Amino acid sequence: MKNFIQSTFLLSLIISIVFTQDNTDASVGTKERSVSPMIQIRYDNFANENFSPSSAIGMILKIDDNRYTGFDVNTSTNETRILMGWKWSMLGISVKEITLPDNSIDNVSMYSFGVKYGILDNMNTIVEYVLSGDSNTDDFLRLTVGVQF
């Protein structure tokens, strides 16, 4: 069995090297790409003294030159968000998992709106106002620095 796995791996490696092409126009530039992954560093509640950074990862789908939609996930705060934008404006609908004072877990609906500003090529900053749909969570300001690939 071990020899079979090794020979299969070696054969697939040789075939991939043989069929690799150097000078092709198969790659798509970032300006033409319609789906782009993104990585973000977020500072929730950055207007107060007790803010803490977190990270998010997601995908952006360009609809045209001005409009986009997508999603992102913040694993440290268990927040999942669907977002949409037009030029520099941005709207988001999210669900965040919170721990209540009695140690039970609850899901809170959150809504955000803000502005997105390009700093460098594929790098941007976002300032959002996040509204909570729950009395257990306060509204806050979010500052985000992100990179799109």
Side-chain angles (χ1 to χ4, degrees):
M1 183 68 179
K2 184 178 178 183
N3 289 335
F4 176 73
I5 293 172
Q6 288 176 344
S7 60
T8 304
F9 178 73
L10 185 61
L11 181 64
S12 63
L13 180 65
I14 291 170
I15 289 173
S16 64
I17 290 172
V18 168
F19 289 110
T20 302
Q21 300 175 3
D22 288 335
N23 297 324
T24 64
D25 293 330
S27 64
V28 177
T30 56
K31 300 286 184 191
E32 301 160 352
R33 187 177 306 146
S34 61
V35 176
S36 301
M38 68 176 175
I39 298 174
Q40 298 176 334
I41 297 173
R42 292 181 177 170
Y43 297 95
D44 287 351
N45 210 3
F46 75 94
N48 293 338
E49 296 175 3
N50 59 353
F51 71 91
S52 62
S54 62
S55 61
I57 187 167
M59 298 290 278
I60 294 287
L61 170 66
K62 292 182 193 172
I63 299 170
D64 57 24
D65 288 340
N66 294 324
R67 296 176 294 166
Y68 60 90
T69 186
F71 69 93
D72 58 14
V73 176
N74 188 338
T75 57
S76 62
T77 60
N78 292 333
E79 180 182 351
T80 304
R81 176 173 70 159
I82 297 173
L83 54 98
M84 54 220 119
W86 181 60
K87 294 186 181 181
W88 51 267
S89 61
M90 184 173 183
L91 299 171
I93 301 170
S94 63
V95 174
K96 184 175 181 179
E97 186 177 280
I98 63 166
T99 305
L100 298 174
D102 63 352
N103 288 333
S104 62
I105 304 286
D106 193 16
N107 292 319
V108 176
S109 300
M110 302 184 94
Y111 311 96
S112 64
F113 60 93
V115 293
K116 182 177 181 180
Y117 179 75
I119 301 172
L120 299 169
D121 262 357
N122 300 332
M123 186 173 183
N124 55 51
T125 183
I126 303 167
V127 177
E128 297 175 274
Y129 183 73
V130 181
L131 294 140
S132 173
D134 189 280
S135 61
N136 295 319
T137 308
D138 293 332
D139 300 346
F140 58 89
L141 289 173
R142 173 184 288 159
L143 176 67
T144 304
V145 177
V147 177
Q148 265 181 262
F149 299 97

